[in-house]
Each structure stands twice: as C-alpha cells, then as structure tokens.
Amino acid sequence: MTLPKGLAGVVVDQTKVSSTQGAVLTYAGYSIKELKNAPFEEVVFLLWHARLPSAEELNDFKKLLVSKMVLPYETVQLMARIAREPQHPMSILRTTVSLLGTTNDIERDDPPRILAKMLTAIAAIIRIRNDQPIKHVHKAWGVVENFIYMFSGNRPTPEQVAQFNTVMVLHADHEFNASTFTARVVASTKSDDYSCLTAAICALKGSLHGGANEQVFKMLEKIRQTGQDPIQYVAQRMAGGHKIMGFGHRVYKNGDPRAAILREIARQAAHETGNDDYFALQEEIKDYMFKTTRLHPNVDYYTALIYHCFNLDRQTFTTMFAACRTAGWLAHIIEQQSEGCLIRPSSEYVGETNRHYFADKEEKIID
C-alpha cells in the first residue's frame, strides 16, 4: 500500500458544498470570483442550501442571523473569567464553544443560531482581552457591519464593511481542509454541532492551518522592528530550513485565487490606515519568494495585513479565520450528518511483528 503523506490528493468522500477542482474555488458551483462581493449572508445561505436565496429569503435570513447575535447570560459570565487568562485566544475560543454547548439548549439549536453566537463570542473574547466593554448588536445593521462594530467598538465605514465582507466570503469554506474534515469526522459519529465545532477549532489552531496568518504578521513585525533587510531575513530563514508562512498551497500550484483578490483589499486597507510600508514589505517578499522558489502567496499572506489594518492583535487573527469558516463548517456538518455514515478509515501497520511477550521479558531478565 502506497499513500501520499497527509492524504494529499486522496478523495475520501463527495460533497456539494464547495470544490477546488482545476485549482478553481467554487461554492455550490459558483466561482468565488463572482461571489467575492456578494453579501456574506447570501453566501452562507448558498453553502447551507446549495442554492441562492430569493430577495425575500435573503432579507429574512439577515434579520434572523442578526437577531441571534446575543450570548446567553451564563456564557458571558464565564467568558469574563476565562478570556482574561494568559492563554492563546484560540484556546479561549475552544473553551467558549464548549460553554455554548452547555449554556444553550442543544436540542433546539440550529445553524443560524450557532453561527450568530460564534461571531458574537469571538468579538466578545477580543473585547474582554482588551479590557473593553462588550458591544451589543444593532438590529438594523447587517451581520458583517455588526461583527466589526462588536469587536472594534466603532461603526465601520461602508468601505470597511465591503472589505471585510469579501474577507469573510473568501474564508467561508474550502472543501475538505484539515479543520473541516475534523468537523466531518465528529459529525459522522452523530455528535452535537458544538462538539463538531470544538474539534474543528482545535485543528484550526495549528500553525500549519489557521495559525499561519498570525505567523505571517509576526514575520513582518520582526523585520520592521529589527530594521533587517527583508530579503536577507527571508533568505536566512530558508537557509536554516524554516518555512516562510503565507506561501505555497497544496491545491493551488499556480497561485491561490483568494490571495489575488485579497491583495487589492490589503493594498487599499493599508493605504487608508497608514500601513503602506507593510504592504510594500509584503510585495518585496512576494517577488523574492516567486523568483527563488516559484511559490505564490496563499490566503493567509494578505489576510494578515488586512486584520492588522482593522486594529486586531495578531494573536486574534486565527479567531477571525474561525469566525468566517464557521459558515462552511456548519455546511459540512449538516451534509455529513445527513449521510448517516461513520468515518472510520483503515491504516497500514509498519511496526515490528511476530514479537512474544514472555520470551522478551525472559530475555530482559537474563540480560
């Protein structure tokens, strides 16, 4: 039996949620290039129902999501304690999602309610960690506008809403990535949605998955703070065998289509917030990486700068990823649970064989 490491290229199941076939990202058959400016709520509806909503359905869905962006009192009380612990925000989010699963009525819960509360919980974690009061939803605003307001404390401009809406749409799903597959494995056991999401968050926390955006900005900060030549810094890191985060993708060998869209948003956001030097630094590194390795930026590369332009601490970047990806996680959880099939792969044993307990014990005694 010969299998590629990490199951690369191995088809393990079918899905109607999203696809990366031909290195083109589509949601339920629609190209991400066409959906990039669609309302986030509309894209969520598409992922969950495999069709676009009517104007009336979209309006009702927006109102429903916003109306659910309120946390149970018990959850807020517990979050006020754990969010101040000196742990990574993703660890706090992991525990918070488990709390939501105990302070909510799981039997009556549904995807809109879960997504809405996930967004509010992530915004609350950021506010509590910054010793700032939790902000409450404005029912007349949309989901993205409310989300930005709830984590930043300021009502965003229409331009900011449009920028962040595209970010959330582009991160909403990406077929069987590590965290989504993890969620589907748990969903296949008929576990509850909060357990599935908790498992997905644990997978996303890793630096090779969702944590990559944090590492990208950490690199940019270090180069700026030390005043080191960026090319020299990157070259030394690669010479030492270190991976340059934000470059390369298992699926997109000729460039991540999301990165191409995010690059322009990063350029605009950087210019509007006085971070042009960071964008110029990214462009210099991008050109060098392509010249020396032929690797292109992936979705994490420019997202890191965009999050910084929204005044987010880099440790919270992966929680932003989780906020966007929850829509896709729920879509896959719904699909997997409907299949009613337990995911239980086999493995190839490559360890020692034909060993005998008593004979080996006797040999050790003699020695």
Side-chain angles (χ1 to χ4, degrees):
M1 183 185 297
T2 301
L3 289 174
K5 286 291 185 180
L7 298 179
V10 177
V11 176
V12 298
D13 205 344
Q14 297 177 325
T15 181
K16 295 180 180 179
V17 180
S18 67
S19 170
T20 60
Q21 290 183 4
V24 176
L25 177 58
T26 59
Y27 293 168
Y30 293 91
S31 169
I32 199 65
K33 292 182 179 180
E34 296 183 15
L35 294 173
K36 64 181 181 180
N37 296 321
F40 176 67
E41 300 92 336
E42 186 174 30
V43 171
V44 174
F45 189 100
L46 171 66
L47 291 172
W48 292 355
H49 300 282
R51 66 174 178 86
L52 293 172
S54 66
E56 182 178 359
E57 285 177 321
L58 179 57
N59 186 55
D60 290 343
F61 191 58
K62 286 181 178 180
K63 290 180 179 179
L64 174 63
L65 287 173
V66 171
S67 71
K68 301 296 184 182
M69 294 178 75
V70 180
L71 294 174
Y73 174 78
E74 298 87 353
T75 304
V76 175
Q77 292 297 103
L78 292 167
M79 285 180 64
R81 296 173 58 185
I82 65 172
R84 289 189 171 89
E85 294 294 323
Q87 302 293 329
H88 193 282
M90 283 297 288
S91 296
I92 296 169
L93 178 60
R94 175 196 62 213
T95 303
T96 298
V97 175
S98 293
L99 286 174
L100 283 171
T102 57
T103 55
N104 272 311
D105 186 346
I106 297 176
E107 295 299 319
R108 294 190 298 108
D109 229 322
D110 53 14
R113 188 179 180 193
I114 296 173
L115 173 59
K117 284 173 172 48
M118 278 286 286
L119 296 176
T120 305
I122 290 168
I125 289 171
I126 293 171
R127 299 290 292 177
I128 293 170
R129 284 173 59 85
N130 291 334
D131 290 321
Q132 297 170 325
I134 294 176
K135 293 295 183 179
H136 300 290
V137 68
H138 284 259
K139 293 186 177 180
W141 301 355
V143 170
V144 177
E145 186 173 9
N146 266 301
F147 182 51
I148 298 172
Y149 168 73
M150 293 171 80
F151 74 67
S152 70
N154 301 309
R155 183 176 186 179
T157 66
E159 291 75 19
Q160 289 175 319
V161 174
Q163 290 171 350
F164 213 83
N165 182 89
T166 298
V167 171
M168 295 188 74
V169 167
L170 294 178
H171 283 79
D173 196 52
H174 202 246
E175 49 120 285
F176 280 26
N177 56 83
S179 57
T180 297
F181 186 63
T182 300
R184 291 190 70 123
V185 170
V186 180
S188 76
T189 71
K190 294 298 183 182
S191 189
D192 65 276
D193 291 355
Y194 286 108
S195 295
C196 299
L197 290 178
T198 302
I201 288 166
C202 291
L204 188 70
K205 184 173 183 282
S207 62
L208 292 183
H209 189 16
N213 52 24
E214 180 182 333
Q215 296 303 314
V216 168
F217 200 75
K218 184 178 180 180
M219 172 185 70
L220 299 177
E221 281 185 316
K222 188 168 185 179
I223 293 173
R224 278 197 60 188
Q225 291 170 358
T226 61
Q228 189 173 357
D229 178 76
I231 303 306
Q232 183 182 36
Y233 175 87
V234 171
Q236 289 177 348
R237 293 285 295 174
M238 288 195 295
H242 299 286
K243 180 179 176 65
I244 305 301
M245 304 305 289
F247 288 91
H249 198 281
R250 181 174 286 184
V251 175
Y252 305 119
K253 303 304 181 184
N254 295 315
D256 189 330
R258 300 167 297 176
I261 299 170
L262 291 168
R263 178 180 176 274
E264 179 58 22
I265 296 177
R267 186 194 66 77
Q268 293 174 358
H271 184 69
E272 293 165 0
T273 57
N275 285 291
D276 289 311
D277 50 348
Y278 268 127
F279 182 73
L281 177 58
Q282 283 195 309
E283 291 295 276
E284 189 173 358
I285 294 173
K286 178 201 70 166
D287 292 342
Y288 174 76
M289 285 294 293
F290 182 73
K291 179 181 178 181
T292 57
T293 68
R294 313 308 288 181
L295 292 176
H296 297 269
N298 57 37
V299 69
D300 297 301
Y301 191 62
Y302 291 111
T303 305
L305 177 55
I306 294 169
Y307 288 159
H308 172 71
C309 292
F310 276 83
N311 294 316
L312 289 163
D313 181 272
R314 64 175 165 81
Q315 280 204 324
T316 67
F317 287 4
T318 310
T319 64
M320 286 292 111
F321 196 144
C324 311
R325 187 54 60 83
T326 298
W329 287 336
L330 287 168
H332 284 275
I333 290 168
I334 294 167
E335 185 176 64
Q336 186 64 50
Q337 289 175 338
S338 69
E339 290 185 6
C341 177
L342 176 68
I343 297 176
R344 201 292 188 190
S346 298
S347 63
E348 179 188 13
Y349 178 70
V350 295
E352 294 191 42
T353 60
N354 199 33
R355 304 171 85 179
H356 301 282
Y357 176 76
F358 291 108
D360 288 349
K361 290 282 287 187
E362 184 178 346
E363 182 178 335
K364 288 182 181 295
I365 293 173
I366 295 175
D367 288 345

